[in-house]
Amino acid sequence: MTAHALHGDLESTALYDIPGPRAQRRHFLYGIVSTAAILVLAGWILYLLFDTHQFTTAKWSPFAYEGIQELLLKGLWNTLKAFLYAAVLSLLLGAVLATGRLSVHRPVRWLATLCVEFFRAMPVLVMIFFIFVALKVQPLPALVAGLTLYNGSVLAEVFRTGINAVERGQREAAYALGMRKTQVMSHILAPQAVRAMLPTIISQLVVALKDTSLGYLITYEEFLHAGKLIASNLDYDLPFIPVVMIISPIYIGMCMLLSWFATWVARRERRNVKTKAVKVGPPEPGVVLPGRD
Amino acid sequence: MDVLTENFSLYGKGFLGTVELTVYASLLALVLGFVMASFRVAPVGSFRVFGTVWVAVLRNTPLTLLFFAVLLGLPRFGLVLPFQLFAVLALGCYTSAFICEVLRSGINTVPKGQGEAARSLGMTFGHTLGSVVLPQAFRSVIPPIGSTLIALAKNSAIAGAFSVTELLGTYKTLNELGYSIIWTFVWIAVGYLIITLSISALFNVLEKRYGVAR
């Protein structure tokens, strides 16, 4: 029973039997050896940190100053601001492009497809730089526009697959009842699709949140930019590593929270009988050749 | 058009830089991703924990932050390598987390009975993995690996902003030389399209040849 509980998650793989007593002892030994190896590695990194004087008071003192804390908080707020704008606008653009791709009018469909395929195939940073350098837009709008174009196109694909994943009979029945196209979409298809798409949409928002850090490269004063300002301060003996040690957990923590939220929603939806049959896969980053959808 | 013909060598250098970065980082990502995937399905708990933490952290790290930490942070440890190598390291580690998840889900698509059958025939673990499970898993992961590598090629643009010789980075020089900025970007865009289309085409061929026929 214990072996079963311990290795419960192994049952789903094709790789192993449930280990017997001898194999368990062996695995225990491997576990101890590998844990020791990991600890040695961690110890070595810690030694390197101490050896290069990363924990001196001079390097950590700036974080005690209110001005520095305010700088970091302002950066964090700017990051969140860019994220919120980008998230809302991408959802809107995604809805528009998805409607275009599902349109019965061929030119509209082609135009939407062209937009989606092009913006998914371009590196986001190239778009952001283009808007920032060539169109001479301010950093925040440039960043938000770049993120919106990319994530909007990806979300358009998510929306489209989500709508198409709703069982055919649903829309047939709705049309048979005499509903219009808009009514079928807004009353029948969208409400069902949104539930199934929600985890995928949130995962895509994680991408948007991560990509707000690109703002650093076009001198938008976001979180990483604030960190850079502090890190290159000579008065505090260039506290580069301390800055990384403070900034990364916050960045990674924010993204992880959102990722976990997506997983939680996905797990909840999976238990839900209403959406059991519908599964919307993760969006793929820009595949331009046809025949891969 | 002039922008391209008059600066062909500059564009060529940037283009090759991106290709090189993509190829090396892809290799690193595939190897590391494979190692991490095997960690994540290993029967030993500590390996599984290590793999899980690796994936969870790297998947949720903004790539710019990773570049920032690796390219500007590691030298503070006295570790001074060429920027190109640092960029390969950052890109490769970042992408390995995604490759790991793709491979793991590929292994999970192989029905449990296949492994059981292999074991009941007396195959060793290595044999089961090498001759039965992995070949089948490989066939189903070709398309998602292709998309992951396309994402890697696109992400390599960030390296250019950290002064690694690379396609996007060429805009700076051309801008200073006073060329039309719009056309400069058009040709950069074309360069990226060539790279992503080539990867896409390569994986289409692989999929036709080895993929699961549905």
Side-chain angles (χ1 to χ4, degrees):
Chain A
M1 183 59 211
T2 38
H4 209 256
L6 257 175
H7 298 275
D9 49 338
L10 286 183
E11 273 188 301
S12 56
T13 95
L15 298 176
Y16 309 96
D17 273 324
I18 294 166
R22 262 183 66 196
Q24 268 187 41
R25 271 201 299 280
R26 212 174 57 226
H27 290 165
F28 185 66
L29 192 71
Y30 292 158
I32 289 177
V33 172
S34 56
T35 311
I38 293 169
L39 285 181
V40 166
L41 191 70
W44 179 64
I45 292 173
L46 209 61
Y47 165 76
L48 268 183
L49 285 173
F50 274 107
D51 194 43
T52 49
H53 312 292
Q54 301 300 341
F55 291 112
T56 51
T57 340
K59 288 204 172 184
W60 286 85
S61 60
F63 299 106
Y65 291 112
E66 223 162 82
I68 298 273
Q69 286 166 4
E70 267 166 26
L71 184 70
L72 279 175
L73 279 180
K74 206 179 130 225
L76 191 58
W77 167 240
N78 280 342
T79 289
L80 289 175
K81 199 165 67 178
F83 167 64
L84 288 178
Y85 281 136
V88 172
L89 291 175
S90 340
L91 286 171
L92 285 177
L93 181 69
V96 171
L97 284 176
T99 320
R101 286 209 67 174
L102 290 166
S103 165
V104 286
H105 307 292
R106 202 169 284 166
V108 178
R109 215 162 54 217
W110 282 348
L111 194 68
T113 310
L114 194 71
C115 277
V116 167
E117 291 296 357
F118 179 77
F119 289 123
R120 283 200 314 162
M122 266 303 108
V124 203
L125 193 60
V126 171
M127 294 192 266
I128 295 177
F129 265 89
F130 177 77
I131 298 167
F132 180 63
V133 178
L135 306 181
K136 297 199 172 56
V137 175
Q138 291 298 307
L140 175 64
L143 176 66
V144 170
L147 291 182
T148 302
L149 286 177
Y150 176 69
N151 291 298
S153 316
V154 177
L155 281 174
E157 285 304 273
V158 174
F159 292 158
R160 193 176 64 96
T161 28
I163 296 284
N164 282 337
V166 177
E167 229 178 304
R168 265 189 83 81
Q170 295 278 342
R171 80 182 70 184
E172 283 166 2
Y175 281 125
L177 286 173
M179 282 187 167
R180 292 164 193 284
K181 273 187 298 190
T182 333
Q183 280 179 314
V184 174
M185 185 60 91
S186 60
H187 286 81
I188 309 292
L189 299 180
Q192 296 188 68
V194 162
R195 299 192 72 137
M197 293 183 299
L198 208 53
T200 321
I201 294 174
I202 300 172
S203 322
Q204 190 57 34
L205 291 185
V206 178
V207 176
L209 177 58
K210 277 163 64 178
D211 283 351
T212 53
S213 65
L214 292 173
Y216 163 75
L217 301 173
I218 55 164
T219 67
Y220 174 54
E221 290 172 349
E222 46 83 76
F223 198 39
L224 196 57
H225 188 267
K228 166 83 176 176
L229 279 185
I230 302 165
S232 49
N233 197 328
L234 265 174
D235 289 346
Y236 303 121
D237 198 16
L238 298 166
F240 205 95
I241 306 291
V243 162
V244 170
M245 286 166 89
I246 297 241
I247 285 192
S248 337
I250 298 178
Y251 250 127
I252 297 171
M254 285 192 301
C255 299
M256 259 184 191
L257 270 182
L258 205 52
S259 298
W260 272 332
F261 182 54
T263 326
W264 180 76
V265 172
R267 195 167 302 144
R268 234 181 55 128
E269 290 297 308
R270 215 172 297 139
R271 281 200 307 262
N272 190 331
V273 277
K274 286 181 194 156
T275 51
K276 220 171 197 172
V278 184
K279 189 175 172 286
V280 180
E284 297 193 345
V287 181
V288 190
L289 285 193
R292 280 279 213 75
D293 282 73
Chain B
M1 195 67 208
D2 292 354
V3 187
L4 182 67
T5 45
E6 284 171 24
N7 300 285
F8 200 74
S9 69
L10 186 69
Y11 267 115
K13 220 191 248 169
F15 185 78
L16 281 183
T18 298
V19 171
E20 249 175 55
L21 200 58
T22 307
V23 170
Y24 292 141
S26 301
L27 289 179
L28 179 66
L30 287 171
V31 171
L32 260 181
F34 180 74
V35 171
M36 288 302 149
S38 42
F39 276 13
R40 288 207 70 176
V41 295
V44 181
S46 56
F47 281 134
R48 279 207 304 275
V49 171
F50 187 77
T52 313
V53 170
W54 177 273
V55 168
V57 168
L58 280 171
R59 278 221 306 185
N60 289 300
T61 307
L63 191 53
T64 325
L65 174 67
L66 194 62
F67 268 103
F68 182 78
V70 169
L71 267 82
L72 308 176
L74 286 189
R76 312 279 158 150
F77 281 155
L79 185 65
V80 183
L81 296 172
F83 265 23
Q84 191 94 9
L85 202 59
F86 273 141
V88 168
L89 212 63
L91 259 183
C93 287
Y94 178 76
T95 315
S96 75
F98 296 87
I99 296 273
C100 166
E101 286 307 87
V102 167
L103 288 177
R104 197 170 64 102
S105 62
I107 290 175
N108 282 341
T109 58
V110 178
K112 214 173 93 185
Q114 296 279 337
E116 285 172 353
R119 278 195 297 276
S120 68
L121 286 173
M123 284 189 176
T124 59
F125 172 68
H127 254 120
T128 312
L129 196 64
S131 321
V132 178
V133 176
L134 280 187
Q136 297 186 70
F138 165 70
R139 295 178 62 179
S140 62
V141 297
I142 298 171
I145 290 223
S147 332
T148 313
L149 294 187
I150 287 173
L152 185 152
K154 290 172 15 182
N155 282 335
S156 71
I158 299 177
F162 280 97
S163 56
V164 174
T165 311
E166 177 277 350
L167 192 51
L168 176 60
T170 53
Y171 97 89
K172 236 180 254 167
T173 323
L174 291 172
N175 197 13
E176 277 159 19
L177 290 173
Y179 282 98
S180 149
I181 196 74
I182 305 253
W183 280 102
T184 307
F185 270 101
V186 167
W187 293 116
I188 289 176
V190 169
Y192 277 106
L193 277 184
I194 292 173
I195 293 172
T196 47
L197 280 174
S198 314
I199 302 177
S200 181
L202 172 73
F203 274 84
N204 262 342
V205 171
L206 283 179
E207 198 191 344
K208 282 226 177 69
R209 207 169 141 81
Y210 300 109
V212 186
R214 288 200 184 94

